[in-house]
Amino acid sequence: MAQLSTIVGSILRDMVLAQHEANLYALRLSESYRKNGSAEKFNLPVIELGEVDMEIRYSVKDETAETEQHEFDHHSIRRGLRKLSHEISDAILETLQDETFNKGDSILQTSIPGALQKLNRQPEINRQFCTFLGRSLMKAIRLNIPGLFHSGKNIDLVRLREIIAEVIRQEVIEHPEFQGYLDNPLIEKIMQVIDNILPVLTKDITVRRKQVYPSLDITIDAAELAKVPEECIHSLKMKVLPGQIRLNHTEDSIE
């Protein structure tokens, strides 16, 4: 017995594999033509799969079967990453203010650039910069989604930490309006705070979720079908159309 989805999937994979092997053979043939000067001007023979009609006759053996699949939980990932970006940006600003303004040295504070003074004194400016940091973090995380979830199970905290540290360096330490007042050691002080909250912020992000779908166990074996009443034999008719995927096209899957 086999599942209907497995049989159809196997047929479609075989068709893709056949086209793939034909493409590779044509590529090797073109190289051979180039090496042979007398054949270089020949037209290269190429085969491409066209429209295919097929019919699969099958009999249902068990209609109570189930298929278990594990798929990316995009909703949990989006929600978790938004919360994480917000909490991390808050932590960055709080640590920045503690390290810059809460040292008790009034003489040193007079040299603080005006932009930093506004962050400390004007709540609206503070809120806007916090939002800016959150968006910058989210953008950087989205650009690195494949590296963060390469295991398919958990978020790579080491890589996530690197992304956060890079955003701090670009958007805080090297921010042009801070006039070079902040230095790189501040990154590690901020990261010490983030290291304490990062496991808590990521523990509830479900990378994959289990889905159970109803399925059919069927047989397509001719010998078995011969034993089945004709009215219990079904036909699945399919029209398969050729398609192409552009390899240079990328799409962000975590919006």
Side-chain angles (χ1 to χ4, degrees):
M1 290 190 298
Q3 293 180 343
L4 181 60
S5 59
T6 302
I7 294 172
V8 174
S10 297
I11 294 172
L12 297 179
R13 280 194 300 272
D14 284 347
M15 293 176 65
V16 172
L17 179 59
Q19 181 66 71
H20 170 64
E21 292 180 348
N23 292 343
L24 293 182
Y25 181 74
L27 181 62
R28 291 194 299 269
L29 198 59
S30 68
E31 294 173 353
S32 177
Y33 278 23
R34 290 194 198 96
K35 293 177 181 178
N36 188 333
S38 60
E40 187 175 8
K41 295 183 180 180
F42 286 179
N43 291 327
L44 182 68
V46 177
I47 296 296
E48 183 175 290
L49 282 175
E51 186 175 303
V52 178
D53 291 306
M54 64 178 63
E55 180 178 352
I56 301 174
R57 286 168 54 83
Y58 66 93
S59 175
V60 177
K61 306 288 288 186
D62 183 6
E63 73 278 3
T64 63
E66 292 182 339
T67 299
E68 183 178 295
Q69 294 183 0
H70 290 81
E71 56 190 37
F72 273 101
D73 191 342
H74 294 287
H75 178 69
S76 175
I77 293 173
R78 284 195 298 267
R79 184 180 64 246
L81 291 181
R82 287 196 189 101
K83 179 181 178 182
L84 180 143
S85 298
H86 176 73
E87 296 288 344
I88 293 297
S89 59
D90 278 346
I92 292 172
L93 278 183
E94 288 177 8
T95 308
L96 173 62
Q97 288 177 292
D98 287 342
E99 293 295 325
T100 306
F101 295 100
N102 298 337
K103 296 300 184 182
D105 191 336
S106 57
I107 297 178
L108 180 63
Q109 290 185 16
T110 59
S111 64
I112 296 176
L116 281 173
Q117 296 278 5
K118 290 179 180 179
L119 283 180
N120 188 51
R121 296 173 180 173
Q122 299 183 26
E124 180 61 21
I125 297 295
N126 188 293
R127 185 192 65 79
Q128 290 176 1
F129 191 68
C130 185
T131 301
F132 164 74
L133 280 180
R135 290 174 178 170
S136 298
L137 282 167
M138 195 64 182
K139 179 179 179 181
I141 290 171
R142 284 176 174 172
L143 292 174
N144 289 272
I145 285 295
L148 282 174
F149 299 101
H150 60 84
S151 68
K153 295 180 180 179
N154 300 305
I155 297 178
D156 187 338
L157 293 183
V158 174
R159 180 63 188 130
L160 181 57
R161 189 184 190 279
E162 292 173 351
I163 294 169
I164 295 170
E166 181 62 17
V167 171
I168 295 172
R169 184 185 66 78
Q170 291 181 355
E171 307 297 356
V172 179
I173 303 300
E174 298 178 359
H175 196 290
E177 292 191 36
F178 297 159
Q179 304 171 15
Y181 180 82
L182 305 175
D183 53 14
N184 284 317
L186 179 61
I187 296 179
E188 284 308 313
K189 293 179 180 178
I190 296 175
M191 291 310 299
Q192 288 174 9
V193 175
I194 292 175
D195 285 340
N196 292 329
I197 63 176
L198 207 53
V200 177
L201 294 175
T202 57
K203 71 179 180 65
D204 292 329
I205 300 179
T206 304
V207 178
R208 287 186 177 272
R209 61 181 175 184
K210 183 175 71 174
Q211 295 280 37
V212 179
Y213 300 97
S215 185
L216 295 176
D217 279 337
I218 66 170
T219 181
I220 60 173
D221 183 80
E224 290 193 32
L225 289 178
K227 304 174 185 178
V228 177
E230 187 65 28
E231 61 269 20
C232 294
I233 298 177
H234 310 278
S235 293
L236 175 65
K237 296 181 179 181
M238 298 189 302
K239 181 184 292 290
V240 182
L241 302 176
Q244 296 178 344
I245 299 175
R246 297 187 181 276
L247 297 181
N248 61 349
H249 175 70
T250 59
E251 182 175 346
D252 187 3
S253 59
I254 307 297
E255 291 294 340

